[in-house]
Amino acid sequence: LVRPLKAGLIGAGIQASLTPAMHMAEGAAQGLSYQYELIDLQALGATEGDLPRLLADAQTRGLAGLNITHPCKQAVIAHLDELAPDARRLGAVNTVVLKGGRRYGHNTDWWGFAEGFRRGLPDADLSAAVQLGAGGAGVATAYAGLSLGLRQLAVFDREPERAEALAEMLAPLFPEAEITAGTDLAAAMREAAGLIHATPTGMAKYPGLPLDADFLAPRHWVAEIVYFPLETALLKEARRRGCRTLDGGGMAVFQAVGAFRLFTGLEPDAARMLEHFKAM
Ligand code: SKM
């Protein structure tokens, strides 16, 4: 018996997303007839202002849920009925479950990063880390790192106010940790055991390294969020210098693992989804 299921992704400029393929392949492997569609604001000539209409339409058409990406992760919150505690704390939703006429907001991004980290960098030294980037992804990675037990986190951003805002937002949630907006990256790297990279640098559109390579020492672990390409200049350089590294594939896959579970009520095979992602 094939159970039909529909879901989708709302965002702008999402044609290259690998999320539909990941969900549909896992659905097929579990005997679902699963259609995952792209609702691309750019292609539709729509904006965040169209969210109410797009959400209502998804409900009318019987979608089980929606992933939400840039630029809608904050804007969508005003149109939801309930928020999971982590989504509320982060102020960002990437997964909406549609059920019984209601809309439930979740955040699987931070969990995705945390799960990838646990698997890819087991027993990493969590005494102190530097994070580059305090944008949408950076909020999730910082929350994940602190949830995993980071005791010190220094956040840097090209816009220092963003780093300050993130540090201020996280401080009350993790009172045992020391969370700061960093000012001296060289000094912070000397004190840190690891680096979380949460800026777009390293993507094809933004080539290059996000920091001076000489700041990297063999004792650092380096966790990357860029996954296109999977092998970024940062990871290459870090490995060349003897660092342990984690690529951005984990976060990409495990946010989908979390969303698949919420949409279908079925337990996804994470290893199978990871394999499929790597083969794409
Ligand atoms: O949070 C995820 C989202 O669920 C899917 C996605 C994508 O497919 O591009 C990116 C992230 O924002």
Side-chain angles (χ1 to χ4, degrees):
L1 191 80
V2 177
R3 210 180 113 200
L5 196 109
K6 286 183 285 193
L9 171 65
I10 296 183
I14 51 176
Q15 295 305 318
S17 169
L18 297 177
T19 301
M22 282 194 275
H23 275 258
M24 289 193 283
E26 182 58 19
Q30 300 224 15
L32 302 174
S33 146
Y34 191 171
Q35 285 305 319
Y36 188 111
E37 62 185 87
L38 292 176
I39 303 168
D40 188 342
L41 298 182
Q42 202 167 293
L44 295 170
T47 68
E48 288 156 80
D50 294 297
L51 276 172
R53 177 174 67 76
L54 296 172
L55 290 164
D57 179 59
Q59 285 173 299
T60 307
R61 292 190 295 113
L63 270 67
L66 292 163
N67 280 125
I68 308 291
T69 191
H70 183 77
C72 299
K73 287 185 188 191
Q74 278 100 33
V76 75
I77 291 178
H79 310 292
L80 304 178
D81 296 298
E82 280 184 45
L83 279 184
D86 51 1
R88 179 184 307 281
R89 282 193 289 262
L90 285 161
V93 161
N94 84 314
T95 302
V96 175
V97 173
L98 303 172
K99 207 172 180 179
R102 294 179 69 80
R103 305 165 178 170
Y104 303 87
H106 298 265
N107 187 301
T108 67
D109 286 327
W110 80 266
W111 179 83
F113 182 77
E115 190 64 14
F117 193 101
R118 268 190 289 269
R119 292 174 185 236
L121 291 172
D123 39 75
D125 179 348
L126 295 176
S127 57
V130 165
Q131 175 169 303
L132 301 178
V139 176
T141 56
Y143 186 89
L146 291 160
S147 299
L148 289 167
L150 263 179
R151 294 186 288 288
Q152 276 184 42
L153 180 64
V155 183
F156 291 78
D157 195 284
R158 265 208 293 243
E159 297 171 41
E161 322 78 62
R162 285 215 301 188
E164 278 153 29
L166 179 55
E168 257 167 53
M169 187 268 260
L170 292 169
L173 303 178
F174 299 94
E176 314 80 50
E178 188 190 313
I179 308 162
T180 53
T183 49
D184 181 344
L185 182 56
M189 286 299 290
R190 278 196 298 274
E191 281 175 32
L195 174 71
I196 298 172
H197 177 236
T199 87
T201 303
M203 295 176 67
K205 267 193 287 184
Y206 312 97
L209 283 174
L211 82 173
D212 184 336
D214 286 336
F215 295 169
L216 296 169
R219 68 164 195 291
H220 290 130
W221 48 260
V222 176
E224 172 71 284
I225 64 151
V226 172
Y227 67 87
F228 198 73
L230 215 42
E231 171 79 347
T232 58
L234 172 63
L235 292 183
K236 209 174 282 172
E237 186 61 31
R239 264 198 303 278
R240 200 174 70 76
R241 290 171 182 256
C243 305
R244 290 167 75 198
T245 60
L246 178 72
D247 68 41
M251 186 181 193
V253 172
F254 287 107
Q255 63 79 24
V257 167
F260 184 96
R261 188 185 284 131
L262 287 164
F263 292 162
T264 65
L266 299 171
E267 187 54 33
D269 183 331
R272 181 165 60 200
M273 289 181 74
L274 208 47
E275 279 313 304
H276 176 234
F277 173 84
K278 286 189 183 143
M280 282 195 279

